[in-house]
Amino acid sequence: MNKSAAPIFSTRLTVTIKLPLDKNVRILNPEQVILKIGSNTYDFGAFCYALRSRKKRNIHKPGEVVLGSFLRQRPRQILQLIRALSHLITDGGKRMATVNAYAQSLKAFLDWADTNEKSDCLSGGDATRDTYLAWAKDTGERYRRQEFGAVWHNHRLQYIEELLEASTGGENLHRGVRKVKYSRSSNGGTDPLAPLDFAHAIALNQALFDGLCDLVLKQMTFPYKLMLPATLGWSENHLWVFPSQTWRMVPYQWDAERGKRTKNCWAYDYAAGRLATTDEIEHRYAGRFRSERRKVAKRLIAQAQARIDSANANARDRVRIMLGMYAHNAFLFLFYCNTGANESVVREIETDGEIDTTTLNQKFRSIKFRAGSKPITLTVPAAFMPSLRRFMELRRFLLGDKPFPYLFFTLGFLNAKPAGQIGSNSLYSLYKSLLRVIDPKLPRMGSRKLRASVADWYQRHHDASVTAKVLQNSEQTTQKRYDAGSATDHREELSLFMNSVSESAKKLRVLPITAVVDTRPLEEGGRCDNFGHPDAMANHVPVKPNCKDSQGCLFCTHRVLIACEEDARKVASAAFVMEQVILGPKHEEALRPLIAKCDQDLEKIAAFGNCRAMTDRVLKDVFENGNLTPFFADKYQLFLELGVIA
């Protein structure tokens, strides 16, 4: 029995077309089109062939297809899809990153459809609807297998539905299809960084920007001493920079870690900022005789010296350009921190590269595509203007005085391409290739994380209206997305509360019952010896005394405890009722410090004279038998009737 011949894949003639389409562009042969969306390319013409190679294609190159599997109906259908993607940008106001997600979903859909013998998926009518329903079913099964999350599940359904309806004229393809309900996060937004991490990251990026700018713009010589912030905790807060692909090594990489690296660069002494000597490194190389090892060491040291001399003589040396781009990305990080801008907004900022010397607060205009192409104006703080002016100087150097419309840019692979618009992963590239190497403990910091951290800072120092103005959204959005604070802050604030409880307990006075004169009894236990003149016992008290809220009396200097059974039962009853109404984290955060204060008060009473046995008896009677004071018994009954307590 003869085996069927393997398909023969081959390339074909192609043309690259950029989205959005120009008004005068006419696509005569859709089967030849490679579509360029931002910096990414997609071989849409290959979808006109039923058999396509799974081999990964090279960037800007066509994928391999079986020419004999050409689908005659597909060119017209692919043309409609290309136009639909273009309309997402021109009419829908979608940003390039979003349209890329549409294109990726479309590729996955068409690959799946043609593999499952559904090549009529773009024909319209029942064929398109049946294919879409099958796609939705497959997507749901893969979601249940946890191949991807809820967000991508819903995007796969939404993106394909929109593109199919736009290209085939179909309607309501989503009928009968269920999306997954999900919450963005527990607080509805992105959690901010811990304040110390945020401050450390800003200091680190500022040091990188300032130091590398000096190296590049002042033509400083290699080896170059790059100063870094003391928050790193190193014995010496600097790195030595060499004109090599391995241009720096941090302290933890100097010893055993260095021996594991593929490129050791032993000729460079990264700790001392000089070239190594032959005696220091000869043992690093293989050779039967010492003379052979020394010969290799001398040759590599000589090459390293020649490399340093070449880089110092060339103002536009490749490593100098590379380090300049690191400075560019460090400034991009700082720009997010100082403006609180959205990533999509920053990518679209245009500039002529000039700033007037009299300008105190530079303003940039951009577009927020997600808000219906809303115009956005970003204002650079006055304190950040010196860094912005320095960046403009760096920008001119890196561009070689060639015009480029956008404020931020990339020079592509190995910094050897013409300037292009930055992608959506610029900050992650900086974090992965440099920040995390310098400080492995530094948490990942994307643009959303930085925006949330900026919002958190403004929320703590100003009100929601100021924060909303800085972030250029509504107060409702500000409170919904950025009011949560960081987990570290919550722990610190709870710690402050508990400390204040302890501090208040130390200051609390306990008097014998015979000393009670001219005082006002309190339902929470104790008496007030100066009603109408509240005074907090400590800073950061959970409830500020005000002579109106009885809970505030717990932290007032004018409250005195009486060493008697009545006060002990009042305090224990208050603690009992508050313990019962804790139903979740919010109640825990609000009531736990108050319960802790009651515990401290009871301990104070127990420690007074011979009151220990009495206090223990009352505590047991309240918590085990439920014998509360009349005031708290009524409250407890009310909570039961209202269903607050089960």
Side-chain angles (χ1 to χ4, degrees):
M1 184 176 179
N2 295 328
K3 294 183 179 180
S4 58
I8 301 175
F9 292 99
S10 58
T11 58
R12 66 198 193 287
L13 182 67
T14 58
V15 58
T16 300
I17 297 178
K18 185 178 179 180
L19 284 190
L21 299 175
D22 292 333
K23 293 181 179 180
N24 298 325
V25 168
R26 293 182 61 194
I27 301 177
L28 301 178
N29 301 104
E31 67 274 12
Q32 298 178 356
V33 170
I34 290 180
L35 206 59
K36 191 171 190 294
I37 306 175
S39 59
N40 298 321
T41 58
Y42 302 88
D43 188 357
F44 265 57
F47 296 134
C48 295
Y49 299 85
L51 297 178
R52 302 184 287 275
S53 173
R54 294 176 178 269
K55 185 169 65 175
K56 187 177 180 180
R57 67 183 183 88
N58 294 327
I59 299 175
H60 305 304
K61 299 294 183 180
E64 295 183 348
V65 300
V66 176
L67 297 177
S69 65
F70 183 73
L71 301 170
R72 295 185 178 277
Q73 76 278 12
R74 275 287 173 87
R76 177 182 57 80
Q77 297 167 350
I78 292 299
L79 178 59
Q80 293 301 318
L81 286 171
I82 292 173
R83 287 173 176 166
L85 288 169
S86 182
H87 287 316
L88 288 176
I89 303 171
T90 56
D91 300 337
K94 303 289 187 185
R95 58 193 180 106
M96 289 297 182
T98 304
V99 179
N100 268 298
Y102 275 82
Q104 291 165 9
S105 296
L106 181 60
K107 180 183 183 305
F109 172 75
L110 291 174
D111 286 342
W112 172 86
D114 290 339
T115 300
N116 289 276
E117 299 181 353
K118 297 182 183 295
S119 297
D120 58 351
C121 59
L122 302 178
S123 301
D126 291 341
T128 297
R129 176 168 177 77
D130 291 345
T131 304
Y132 178 75
L133 293 177
W135 164 258
K137 181 180 178 181
D138 179 74
T139 297
E141 290 173 353
R142 292 182 63 187
Y143 167 73
R144 285 187 287 275
R145 292 197 299 267
Q146 298 185 3
E147 293 184 28
F148 42 71
V151 175
W152 191 236
H153 171 278
N154 292 349
H155 283 173
R156 280 167 64 94
L157 301 184
Q158 175 190 339
Y159 294 166
I160 298 306
E161 176 197 352
E162 291 181 19
L163 290 174
L164 291 179
E165 290 183 352
S167 61
T168 66
E171 294 181 351
N172 299 321
L173 291 178
H174 65 278
R175 284 184 178 175
V177 175
R178 298 183 65 179
K179 292 184 178 180
V180 177
K181 293 183 178 181
Y182 68 95
S183 174
R184 290 178 179 267
S185 71
S186 59
N187 68 311
T190 304
D191 293 330
L193 292 162
L196 288 178
D197 287 336
F198 189 38
H200 172 52
I202 292 176
L204 179 56
N205 279 277
Q206 189 69 57
L208 289 169
F209 174 69
D210 292 338
L212 294 178
C213 274
D214 284 345
L215 171 62
V216 171
L217 299 178
K218 292 183 179 180
Q219 301 300 317
M220 306 294 284
T221 58
F222 295 100
Y224 174 72
K225 190 176 185 179
L226 177 62
M227 299 304 299
L228 295 176
T231 49
L232 286 167
W234 296 349
S235 57
E236 296 183 6
N237 301 313
H238 64 261
L239 289 176
W240 283 102
V241 178
F242 290 89
S244 166
Q245 196 64 34
T246 307
W247 57 274
R248 81 284 175 264
M249 279 193 187
V250 295
Y252 69 84
Q253 296 175 328
W254 289 348
D255 300 320
E257 185 72 21
R258 186 172 182 179
K260 300 176 185 177
R261 297 173 62 91
T262 304
K263 295 181 179 180
N264 299 310
C265 304
W266 294 114
Y268 297 116
D269 188 336
Y270 291 94
R274 58 175 174 80
L275 291 181
T277 65
T278 304
D279 292 337
E280 289 172 337
I281 65 171
E282 62 175 88
H283 66 284
R284 302 289 184 181
Y285 304 105
R288 290 183 60 191
F289 304 104
R290 185 187 180 197
S291 59
E292 293 177 354
R293 296 192 294 271
R294 289 181 65 83
K295 185 177 180 180
V296 173
K298 287 180 179 179
R299 175 171 55 82
L300 293 176
I301 291 171
Q303 289 178 358
Q305 183 63 63
R307 178 73 193 98
I308 290 175
D309 294 341
S310 173
N312 287 337
N314 183 4
R316 298 191 65 81
D317 182 82
R318 59 179 176 81
V319 173
R320 213 176 280 271
I321 296 296
M322 177 187 71
L323 296 174
M325 285 305 300
Y326 274 121
H328 168 285
N329 292 338
F331 179 83
L332 175 62
F333 184 100
L334 296 171
F335 189 85
Y336 280 115
C337 295
N338 280 272
T339 61
N342 259 316
E343 180 185 70
S344 61
V345 172
V346 171
R347 292 180 68 245
E348 300 297 328
I349 294 175
E350 297 186 5
T351 181
D352 60 1
E354 301 295 333
I355 297 179
D356 194 289
T357 55
T358 61
T359 301
L360 296 178
N361 296 92
Q362 180 68 31
K363 294 185 178 181
F364 293 104
R365 291 178 180 173
S366 186
I367 300 294
K368 190 173 183 179
F369 290 103
R370 198 171 61 181
S373 299
K374 173 186 173 183
I376 295 291
T377 300
L378 297 177
T379 302
V380 176
F384 192 54
M385 286 299 296
S387 293
L388 178 61
R389 289 193 168 90
R390 194 84 190 280
F391 172 75
M392 288 302 190
E393 186 181 353
L394 174 69
R395 183 178 182 276
R396 286 190 292 271
F397 171 83
L398 293 173
L399 291 172
D401 291 324
K402 295 178 182 177
F404 185 74
Y406 297 105
L407 179 63
F408 298 105
F409 56 91
T410 175
L411 296 179
F413 183 63
L414 296 178
N415 301 305
K417 301 288 185 181
Q421 197 172 8
I422 60 171
S424 57
N425 62 344
S426 298
L427 280 188
Y428 179 65
S429 176
L430 172 69
Y431 170 77
K432 183 179 179 181
S433 62
L434 184 55
L435 300 182
R436 189 174 61 179
V437 174
I438 293 175
D439 186 357
K441 296 180 180 179
L442 200 66
R444 181 172 177 177
M445 301 177 181
S447 60
R448 288 184 179 178
K449 205 77 169 173
L450 297 183
R451 181 172 168 85
S453 302
V454 172
D456 182 60
W457 187 90
Y458 275 98
Q459 287 285 75
R460 292 181 178 280
H461 294 81
H462 304 281
D463 58 23
S465 62
V466 174
T467 309
K469 188 173 182 180
V470 172
L471 300 185
Q472 302 200 43
N473 51 26
S474 66
E475 288 187 35
Q476 182 181 7
T477 300
T478 297
Q479 292 168 342
K480 181 180 179 182
R481 297 296 183 198
Y482 305 115
D483 251 1
S486 69
T488 302
D489 286 339
H490 288 316
R491 288 195 294 271
E492 289 177 354
E493 286 167 5
L494 186 57
S495 177
L496 286 174
F497 279 165
M498 300 309 289
N499 287 338
S500 70
V501 168
S502 178
E503 186 180 342
S504 300
K506 293 175 184 176
K507 295 180 179 179
L508 185 66
R509 294 169 290 159
V510 181
L511 302 177
I513 193 168
T514 56
V516 177
V517 289
D518 298 327
T519 56
R520 178 172 180 153
L522 302 172
E523 295 296 347
E524 277 74 14
R527 291 173 175 265
C528 177
D529 65 3
N530 196 1
F531 184 77
H533 300 86
D535 183 20
M537 284 182 165
N539 295 324
H540 309 291
V541 291
V543 181
K544 187 176 181 180
N546 58 13
C547 294
K548 296 179 181 178
D549 186 343
S550 58
Q551 290 180 342
C553 295
L554 293 172
F555 301 94
C556 183
T557 58
H558 299 303
R559 175 178 177 249
V560 293
L561 282 176
I562 308 303
C564 66
E565 182 174 335
E566 181 184 357
D567 265 12
R569 190 172 297 278
K570 283 183 178 180
V571 175
S573 298
F576 175 84
V577 173
M578 287 189 286
E579 192 75 60
Q580 306 312 306
V581 297
I582 292 180
L583 303 177
K586 290 291 185 183
H587 296 97
E588 180 78 29
E589 182 180 341
L591 297 178
R592 185 56 62 189
L594 305 180
I595 296 171
K597 181 62 171 65
C598 290
D599 292 340
Q600 296 272 12
D601 290 351
L602 287 169
E603 180 58 30
K604 278 275 188 177
I605 294 175
F608 189 90
N610 299 317
C611 294
R612 174 72 63 184
M614 178 271 294
T615 305
D616 291 344
R617 175 173 51 79
V618 169
L619 201 58
K620 182 178 180 180
D621 191 36
V622 168
F623 276 85
E624 293 186 11
N625 302 325
N627 290 326
L628 312 179
T629 63
F631 175 81
F632 282 107
D634 289 343
K635 275 200 170 188
Y636 184 63
Q637 187 62 36
L638 176 62
F639 289 146
L640 285 172
E641 293 173 359
L642 293 175
V644 175
I645 301 174

